[in-house]
Amino acid sequence: MHGSTETVLSGGHNGLRRALARHPMIILALAVACMPLALVATVTMPIGPMYWDHYIYLDAANRIFDGQIPSVDFFAPVGGLGYYLFAGWLYLFPNGHPLLLSSWSLMTLTAPLMALVIVDVQKRSMATAYGLLLPFLFFSLLPFNTGDFYPYPGSDGFGVYNRQVCQLLYVLAAGLVFVRGWKTLATVTALAMLALLFIKVTGVVGGLVLCLMAFLAGRLPLRAAVAGGSVFLAAAGLLEITSGAVSAYATDILSLVVINDSSLLPRLLQAASINFGVILACCLLGLVLVVSELPVFRAALRDFIGKPGFSAFGRIADQSFLWMAGFIAAGLLFESQNTGSQAFIFLWPLLLAILIENYRRKGSSAGFAAVAILVFSAAIPPVVIVTQKAARAFIGSVNNTPLEHDNLKSMGAVGIRSILSQRAQRLQTNYVAYRPAYQALAEAGELPSFLLYSDFEFQSQWLKNADEVISAIETFETANKVRFETIMTIDFTNPFPWLMDRHAPKYIAIGADPYRAVPPLDAHVKQAVDAVDLALYPTCPPTAARLALLNLYQPVLAEGHRRITLTPCFDAFVRTGITKVP
């Protein structure tokens, strides 16, 4: 009996292994099915550098729940699709951690698109299907950037939309390189490009470079390109007719271009330097491929000269080293506009194709070994970095203490080391006692620390101060028998309307970086600021950015609002028509 049971169990395990080996879609389905388990209850995340960046999603979702449309009703630094996906997941999982919701909500799009790619690829090679699927899941499920911006381990709450673009580019690249069914390819290309456009416009620029390379090389057939382009234009046109969102988005992009008027070359050099290891490996691989494919390239060139045509030109363009050049150009263009990203992860589908093709042609030779070494030299660094950052963050969180709060909902589910909490409290005492000194620093355009926004103590203290000011607002409302329906902040992010179940005023920019993402005030913005019930101004510490925002909004607030002190670290502008402010 024992032996027969053991045989059955063994057969069951073998059957499961065979099923998983033959059906990568099961792995994708399991990964998607497991995500809600981490979202039903609030998970405590270790705090990280620039952690407040993802609070923008809470502000945007609250505005969307109020019926506001990104770019139409408020200025946003990126497209509105990511905000809508987050709002939908927040509605389904109200207790889910905002960082996980903002990161994973893109799977609403990428998982089905990747499924289309896998179904097509597995017809020819199950191993290749897994080779595409597993890295996709790895980068999609671990919300960490490939760049380092702070020495301490923590969650990467910034650059969420940049990571999302990289994951979409990965799916697009997998489709362009491996998918053979033209209908599937047209679908993946059209939907991926639409998503790229409405998440971040620089993402669609990178996607266009990939699509152009595939088209010239004959991998994106004309009928697939026409069908995909038609779907793309039809969807964008329908959205414009129904909401005006496309033209409004274009206006926002033009405003950002004016605000960020700087040369592209320094940004490209910066992107190349940050990702130097990957770029160097790809350049060396390109040189090896040039030498290897030169005879084929010359033959294709001679054929084209003898008998010009699109198919002959496609054979010229369909060279691995040219594909590599196109992918690197796309990555550099996108990364030149980023802080925080999963840079160049979309190279893997191309690198995998190069590895497979070289093995088919050369077998276990020295030439193949050279290609393989360079392929993995380019592919492994992002995997190692994300693995290391995730391991450090979650292993280090054993020493973290959960943040104590009363009013922050799931946003306050963070942990921080006790020594940093103590430092945060000591710094705050210093900010309050010596405010004129920090005010002078802000007026001189300097921060108390060059890495202030990355410092964990700044991020944790911002949360504590937010918790305290909400209590102060509620006390003020009770004492004065009023209710502030519209709340804005004179700061980078404004989650207070969501935290207090109130409303954010229309037209005011979210993600308010005065140097990069806040256009000059127009009549609509001035009217909205003038009508706001409560404008919060954090003062621990004063910073150049906060001071710039204050100088921008204060002239509008001056006539209809009175400035009061709510807490030692928060001043407020209260609309005089709503109450008699003491």
Side-chain angles (χ1 to χ4, degrees), residues 54 57 86 97-106 160 164:
H54 76 280
Y57 284 87
F86 174 83
H97 197 285
L99 176 54
L100 297 180
L101 290 172
S102 60
S103 298
W104 291 351
S105 58
L106 186 71
V160 173
Q164 291 179 338

Side-chain angles (χ1 to χ4, degrees), residues 224-544:
V226 171
S230 299
V231 172
F232 179 91
L233 293 174
L238 180 63
L239 186 61
E240 173 62 19
I241 292 170
T242 56
S243 66
V246 177
S247 58
Y249 181 34
T251 301
D252 284 359
I253 295 303
L254 290 174
S255 299
L256 284 172
V257 170
V258 172
I259 297 170
N260 296 277
D261 184 18
S262 60
S263 174
L264 180 61
L265 180 59
R267 291 178 176 271
L268 290 172
L269 293 174
Q270 175 181 289
S273 66
I274 291 174
N275 301 283
F276 180 76
V278 172
I279 300 295
L280 177 62
C282 287
C283 289
L284 293 174
L285 176 60
L287 289 175
V288 171
L289 293 173
V290 167
V291 174
S292 175
E293 298 175 358
L294 195 56
V296 177
F297 181 71
R298 285 174 176 171
L301 192 59
R302 284 194 300 268
D303 291 344
F304 177 76
I305 294 173
K307 189 177 180 180
F310 187 76
S311 60
F313 181 81
R315 286 191 291 275
I316 294 174
D318 192 18
Q319 307 296 322
S320 297
F321 65 89
L322 294 178
W323 277 88
M324 181 63 66
F327 272 53
I328 290 297
L332 285 175
L333 283 171
F334 177 64
E335 293 301 328
S336 68
Q337 308 300 315
N338 291 344
T339 300
S341 175
Q342 289 179 340
F344 291 97
I345 64 169
F346 65 90
L347 286 173
W348 173 244
L350 176 61
L351 294 171
L352 179 60
I354 291 172
L355 196 66
I356 294 170
E357 179 62 24
N358 272 264
Y359 185 75
R360 285 174 180 168
R361 289 195 289 110
K362 300 177 181 178
S364 301
S365 64
F368 171 74
V371 169
I373 289 170
L374 291 172
V375 161
F376 287 113
S377 295
I380 288 176
V383 176
V384 172
I385 292 170
V386 170
T387 302
Q388 180 182 7
K389 293 180 76 173
R392 289 189 69 204
F394 292 117
I395 293 173
S397 66
V398 173
N399 297 319
N400 287 355
T401 302
L403 184 79
E404 295 182 4
H405 63 92
D406 298 316
N407 306 298
L408 299 182
K409 299 182 179 178
S410 57
M411 192 180 88
V414 298
I416 185 171
R417 296 188 182 188
S418 299
I419 188 172
L420 293 177
S421 294
Q422 294 173 3
R423 173 175 164 78
Q425 187 56 51
R426 291 165 182 164
L427 285 173
Q428 177 162 312
T429 302
N430 198 274
Y431 294 151
V432 173
Y434 302 101
R435 181 169 168 181
Y438 293 101
Q439 181 72 20
L441 273 177
E443 291 173 354
E446 293 293 342
L447 291 171
S449 163
F450 190 74
L451 295 177
L452 179 70
Y453 302 127
S454 294
D455 288 337
F456 291 10
E457 57 268 25
F458 173 86
Q459 295 295 334
S460 66
Q461 203 57 45
W462 194 95
L463 287 168
K464 290 290 291 183
N465 290 333
D467 184 46
E468 291 173 4
V469 79
I470 290 174
S471 296
I473 292 170
E474 292 172 345
T475 299
F476 182 92
E477 288 178 324
T478 301
N480 292 274
K481 297 181 174 58
V482 297
R483 178 179 169 88
F484 300 117
E485 292 295 340
T486 55
I487 301 175
M488 67 172 284
T489 56
I490 305 172
D491 200 11
F492 174 69
T493 186
N494 181 27
F496 294 99
W498 177 75
L499 291 171
M500 300 186 70
D501 298 318
R502 311 296 172 89
H503 309 283
K506 283 185 174 182
Y507 309 120
I508 296 174
I510 67 172
D513 181 344
Y515 308 112
R516 298 182 59 211
V518 181
L521 306 188
D522 60 19
H524 289 297
V525 177
K526 290 180 180 179
Q527 186 176 5
V529 172
D530 183 60
V532 75
D533 291 341
L534 184 70
L536 298 172
Y537 179 60
T539 58
C540 289
T543 66

